[in-house]
Amino acid sequence: MSSVAAPAIGKRREDPRDFLPWSTILEFRKGETIYSPESPSTCLYLIIAGKVKICRPAEGGRCVIVSIYQPDEFFGESSLLGPPGSEEAVALEKTKIMMWTAAEIQDRATSRPDLGAALIQIFVQRLEERVGRIASLAMDDIAHRLAQALLNLAQRFGRETDDGSVQMLPFTHSFLAQYAGTRREQVSRLMTNFRRFGFVSYSRTSIVLHQKAITEWMK
């Protein structure tokens, strides 16, 4: 472990990283749990390297991915917003994070009101995003949920190519099933159909999403 200053790359108008002190870096292996319902979050975390998925339990014992975070993004805000929740945070790859306890954040926000304002901006935006995700999971059929999942992932983790399509990581069908709130077998069948319709092409190294085609279909 080593101590460094909170990075401040790509500053926004109000960036919580501007108001936080140095913190120790912690490392997690791929697949390692950072917190869970049995060991709830007591801190606010900042990703230095890697990616983290946030999951919540669903019917049938399944786990639904509600959010994915990458470097320079915070997670674990449940520790600041009320009693321990049912979410779980898991490292998607080798991940480095910094952390501050809820008490440290509250003390710092008292002396630096700009920190509280900056965190509120982030939390409000995330709440809106999660409301949209919950509405999709509750109202859309599986095909539309998967299509929306692919569009969300492309926006967050994709790279646009010369022809307007988006290339992204080769997310597994099991991962996409968790994100869309369904079973892997259904995702495999739908991905085959999506490829036949020209919505996606994929290999072991990437998924290419043809946004225009899949967006038109969703309409």
Side-chain angles (χ1 to χ4, degrees):
M1 297 182 183
S2 59
S3 294
V4 300
I9 300 172
K11 293 182 182 179
R12 301 175 308 172
R13 182 180 176 185
E14 290 183 321
D15 191 330
R17 293 172 294 173
D18 294 338
F19 311 112
L20 289 170
W22 292 15
S23 175
T24 299
I25 291 181
L26 305 177
E27 294 190 9
F28 291 85
R29 300 183 303 274
K30 178 180 179 180
E32 189 172 359
T33 299
I34 299 169
Y35 60 80
S36 67
E38 294 74 29
S39 181
S41 169
T42 58
C43 299
L44 183 68
Y45 303 90
L46 174 66
I47 300 177
I48 306 303
K51 293 183 180 65
V52 172
K53 68 176 180 180
I54 307 297
C55 304
R56 286 185 176 272
E59 294 181 1
R62 294 197 303 270
C63 174
V64 175
I65 298 173
V66 294
S67 303
I68 303 170
Y69 299 119
Q70 56 187 335
D72 295 334
E73 293 184 331
F74 290 91
F75 69 98
E77 63 268 21
S78 56
S79 65
L80 307 177
L81 301 178
S86 58
E87 70 180 31
E88 179 180 55
V90 178
L92 280 173
E93 56 194 45
K94 184 178 179 181
T95 297
K96 297 180 180 181
I97 63 174
M98 289 195 294
M99 56 186 282
W100 300 267
T101 67
E104 288 175 322
I105 294 294
Q106 290 166 0
D107 288 345
R108 176 67 59 158
T110 299
S111 61
R112 299 295 302 270
D114 286 346
L115 171 60
L119 289 173
I120 288 172
Q121 287 180 338
I122 293 174
F123 299 161
V124 168
Q125 180 182 353
R126 289 186 178 177
L127 179 60
E128 292 174 351
E129 292 171 353
R130 289 198 180 186
V131 167
R133 289 267 290 126
I134 292 170
S136 176
L137 290 170
M139 300 173 61
D140 293 341
D141 60 33
I142 296 171
H144 281 77
R145 294 207 308 262
L146 178 58
Q148 189 60 60
L150 291 168
L151 286 168
N152 290 347
L153 292 169
Q155 182 179 31
R156 292 275 287 143
F157 306 108
R159 178 181 62 83
E160 189 167 351
T161 63
D162 293 339
D163 63 1
S165 60
V166 177
Q167 185 176 34
M168 54 184 166
L169 297 171
F171 296 108
T172 67
H173 289 183
S174 294
F175 178 91
L176 292 173
Q178 281 191 327
Y179 199 91
T182 186
R183 296 192 300 273
R184 182 187 60 79
E185 294 79 6
Q186 291 175 306
V187 167
S188 297
R189 176 179 57 81
L190 287 169
M191 287 294 282
T192 298
N193 290 339
F194 283 2
R195 180 162 58 180
R196 185 163 57 244
F197 298 153
F199 300 161
V200 299
S201 53
Y202 52 88
S203 65
R204 292 180 179 275
T205 58
S206 69
I207 295 175
V208 176
L209 181 67
H210 304 285
Q211 294 182 99
K212 185 176 180 180
I214 200 167
T215 301
E216 287 298 321
W217 170 78
M218 290 181 70
K219 292 178 181 178

